[in-house]
Amino acid sequence: MLDVLVIGGGPAGYTSAIYAARAGYKVKLITGNQDGGQLTITSMIENYPGFANPISGIQLMSQMREQSEHVGVEIIYDIIVSTNFLNYPFNCIGESGTVYESKSVIVATGANAKWLGLDSEKKYMNHGVSACATCDGFFFKNKIVAVIGGGNTAVEEAIYLTNFASKVFLIHRRDKLRAEKFMQQRLFNSPKIEVLWNSIVTEILGDGSKVNGLMLKKDEGQCKKLSLDGVFVAIGHAPATKIFENQLKLDEQGYIIVDGTKTSVDGIFAAGDVCDSIYRQAIVSAGQGCKAAIDADKFLSRL
Ligand code: NDP
């Protein structure tokens, strides 16, 4: 019987596990299929406090993993495939067949960026293709970049990228943006941003090691090549909450509804991108992980 079961191996999961283990609890962290989470697919990180020099996402997460082990967290490379939060103590079943029984659970399964699904997108991932302007925008000083999408994220990322890039294309598949009106106004007012309407990206082009352009198909059917240095895909994120659908209250986009870190079930807490569609930053997730562990401690002390 565990005191705290942490589901998810990103910054929220590891931070909550470190805090819970240091509070003296028996803690297991289940990594999921991408130990380290979304940071392992980003390039260099320059905005996580405590590192004077840029650190790679992989290095940062391996530091969190080691730190967790040092304080007594047991890390399990398994994927939770089903949960039972309706009976107490809670139990979760791993793909391995193992049943994890715990007095409290911290859900930190994160969210995944949606991708276009092109082979060339995979090929140039982290070599000019990114899904996070806050993480990677800095590397495109005085370069030409494109943002794909028409929602708030795409518009926000395009505006943010004007701080670095010399020119930003916003490529949208329709003739209307989904983003809020005031965001659209800011976008249209920026002299550095050009919106390409009714355009679908059919291929990301490169020289074998980095991006140097993309192919667009307009809705009239003609194709156009665009030369540029970076592509930011901003077509939405999907929270990893499928296994919690009948267990926890989710909002209409599938994010876990929380009050602080408390979910709809007493004793189950959530932290990080799985319950945050707005900030989506490693440092915010880590902070929420810390809060979730403190809330779990309060819950366990009450038992
Ligand atoms: P959204 O789902 O709102 O928008 C996704 C965009 O990507 C849409 O314009 C959609 O096009 C486009 N798209 C989807 N799939 C494809 C595809 N395969 N190829 C090309 N384009 C595609 O996601 P966001 O991440 O922008 O926002 C998610 C939520 O978070 C929203 O509720 C948003 O309001 C919120 N948010 C709020 C912020 C804020 O308040 N500051 C900041 C960022 C996000 P189409 O329009 O044609 O469907």
Side-chain angles (χ1 to χ4, degrees), residues 116 149-153 156 172-174 178 234-236 253 277-278:
L116 298 170
N152 272 339
T153 304
E156 223 173 57
H172 186 37
R173 62 183 177 183
R174 291 191 296 136
R178 190 181 286 275
I235 60 172
Q253 293 173 62
S277 65
I278 308 281

Side-chain angles (χ1 to χ4, degrees), residues 138-149:
F138 186 77
F139 303 112
F140 294 90
K141 259 189 184 160
N142 300 320
K143 305 263 173 155
I144 303 173
V145 297
V147 177
I148 302 165

Side-chain angles (χ1 to χ4, degrees), residues 79-123:
I79 300 167
I80 297 297
V81 290
S82 77
T83 56
N84 181 355
F85 295 159
L86 306 177
N87 296 321
Y88 195 79
F90 307 116
N91 70 67
C92 299
I93 300 174
E95 197 180 57
S96 62
T98 311
V99 178
Y100 303 94
E101 206 177 27
S102 186
K103 295 178 197 163
S104 71
V105 177
I106 297 175
V107 176
T109 47
N112 300 308
K114 293 183 190 160
W115 296 100
L116 298 170
L118 304 170
D119 287 343
S120 48
E121 178 185 49
K122 265 199 209 125
K123 179 172 174 186

